[in-house]
Amino acid sequence: MEQTLCAGGARIVLALHAGYLLFALLGLVVVAEGAVLGWRWVRRPAWRRAHLAALVAVCALQYAGAGCPLTAAENRLRACAGEPAYRQGFVSDWSDRLFSRPVTAAAVARA
């Protein structure tokens, strides 16, 4: 029973993590595209503040050398469920799974 709850919790954190990543990455594209297409909602301060806060949070964690709290939470839940944890991190492991080529911090820094 506990393993089932932990596995479900890990899936919920995975979905939150993926949503956060998509919001941070695609939000930038949406703002630029919205400016070209005249979408007024992308100019709303609430949207801009939320997107900026998402980017600043990720940058602050990276700058501080801290790990992502969502990755840590998911790894704890995966361990509780008897599942393997991420070897490198959320983005690296999923890019490896999806593209069979891991994204490393060094590669991102060079880009």
Side-chain angles (χ1 to χ4, degrees):
M1 174 82 166
E2 183 180 352
Q3 284 187 325
T4 303
L5 289 173
C6 290
R11 301 300 173 273
I12 291 170
V13 174
L14 171 64
L16 290 171
H17 211 170
Y20 188 93
L21 178 67
L22 288 173
F23 175 68
L25 293 176
L26 296 180
L28 208 54
V29 174
V30 168
V31 168
E33 189 72 17
V36 171
L37 296 175
W39 298 341
R40 289 193 301 231
W41 64 270
V42 298
R43 302 184 125 239
R44 290 188 182 149
W47 167 265
R48 297 266 176 121
R49 282 189 204 110
H51 186 249
L52 181 62
L55 295 176
V56 167
V58 169
C59 290
L61 285 170
Q62 288 296 312
Y63 182 75
C68 176
L70 291 173
T71 300
E74 188 178 348
N75 279 339
R76 281 193 301 276
L77 288 166
R78 285 169 161 263
C80 171
E83 298 174 1
Y86 292 128
R87 292 181 317 270
Q88 299 174 10
F90 175 78
V91 173
S92 295
D93 274 30
W94 276 100
S95 68
D96 191 22
R97 290 180 195 185
L98 295 173
F99 306 113
S100 297
R101 184 176 172 169
V103 174
T104 63
V108 172
R110 285 192 300 265

